[in-house]
Amino acid sequence: RSEAVEGVLEAIGKVGLKAGRDVYIALDVASSELWAGPSDAPDAGGGNYVFKKSGEPGRTSAQMVELYADWIRQYPIISIEDGLAEGDWSGWQLITKTLGDKVQLVGDDVFVTNPEILKRGIADKVGNALLVKLNQIGTVTETLDAVRMATDAKYATIMSHRSGETEDTTIADLAVGTAAGQIKTGSASRTDRICK
């Protein structure tokens, strides 16, 4: 909901910074958690995206894309992660076609750092950035293969922490070593995230 974005903008102003100049907004929507339907596969139809806490009516993939387009017009949003559910490939194609030249569209759940899935995503024009989680695919080799494939396809890459991590700083080294240019380490609230 836009109230959360408004709260972030207020906080940015209170510390003396200007949103859209000093600070930009990146959303991690985790839309797979919003999907409500007869199956876990949005492309199968028969469901929609539901904002349970707000009580708003469910939205189709196209309505979610319209919502993001509206927010991008209003707020300095530069990145949207998991804007649609992992199984909503037609929705991902729509959001990429509609917003892919305006913001970074990061695939986490949709790609799961898997070179085979990423290969399909590139071919189907799904997203324009890959969230990279070293222990998600299983091996360093597969992780580097995914990064190389994304880079070759002109997709941005973002090295990312995982929930329940230790203070190991390997992902910071990977971010530098692969020239990812971006790292996602969570909020500056716990040592496992701050050390990265």
Side-chain angles (χ1 to χ4, degrees):
R1 300 223 353 159
S2 59
E3 287 86 355
V5 177
E6 294 286 350
V8 170
L9 293 175
E10 183 181 340
I12 292 167
K14 283 187 175 184
V15 297
L17 300 174
K18 181 164 176 44
R21 184 190 70 202
D22 303 313
V23 179
Y24 292 84
I25 297 174
L27 304 175
D28 181 354
V29 181
S31 285
S32 291
E33 301 298 319
L34 302 175
W35 177 250
S39 72
D40 292 332
D43 269 354
N48 54 26
Y49 295 89
V50 177
F51 293 76
K52 296 173 185 96
K53 291 184 181 181
S54 68
E56 293 179 36
R59 290 183 170 88
T60 64
S61 302
Q63 289 169 328
M64 289 293 286
V65 173
E66 289 173 19
L67 175 68
Y68 299 136
D70 185 47
W71 285 359
I72 290 166
R73 281 189 291 274
Q74 295 179 59
Y75 307 114
I77 295 171
I78 60 167
S79 183
I80 299 173
E81 179 182 331
D82 285 344
L84 295 164
E86 61 194 272
D88 190 359
W89 281 76
S90 59
W92 270 98
Q93 288 174 314
L94 177 63
I95 196 172
T96 305
K97 181 179 179 182
T98 307
L99 302 176
D101 63 343
K102 296 174 178 60
V103 295
Q104 178 173 266
L105 298 170
V106 184
D108 175 11
D109 293 344
V110 72
F111 296 139
V112 291
T113 316
N114 184 313
E116 289 305 310
I117 298 172
L118 177 60
K119 183 178 181 180
R120 175 185 170 202
I122 293 166
D124 289 353
K125 295 184 173 41
V126 165
N128 59 22
L130 170 68
L131 195 73
V132 180
K133 294 178 176 174
L134 175 63
N135 66 349
Q136 189 173 45
I137 185 60
T139 70
V140 174
T141 300
E142 289 170 303
T143 300
L144 294 175
D145 287 347
V147 170
R148 189 174 304 106
M149 184 181 295
T151 302
D152 289 348
K154 307 284 191 264
Y155 276 46
T157 54
I158 305 102
M159 288 295 160
S160 178
H161 68 267
R162 295 294 307 266
S163 298
E165 272 201 28
T166 67
E167 292 184 359
D168 184 278
T169 59
T170 300
I171 68 161
D173 297 324
L174 273 173
V176 173
T178 61
Q182 299 177 64
I183 188 168
K184 179 180 177 182
T185 60
S187 63
S189 62
R190 299 193 319 245
T191 58
D192 61 308
R193 303 204 169 171
I194 292 170
C195 64
K196 294 173 178 66

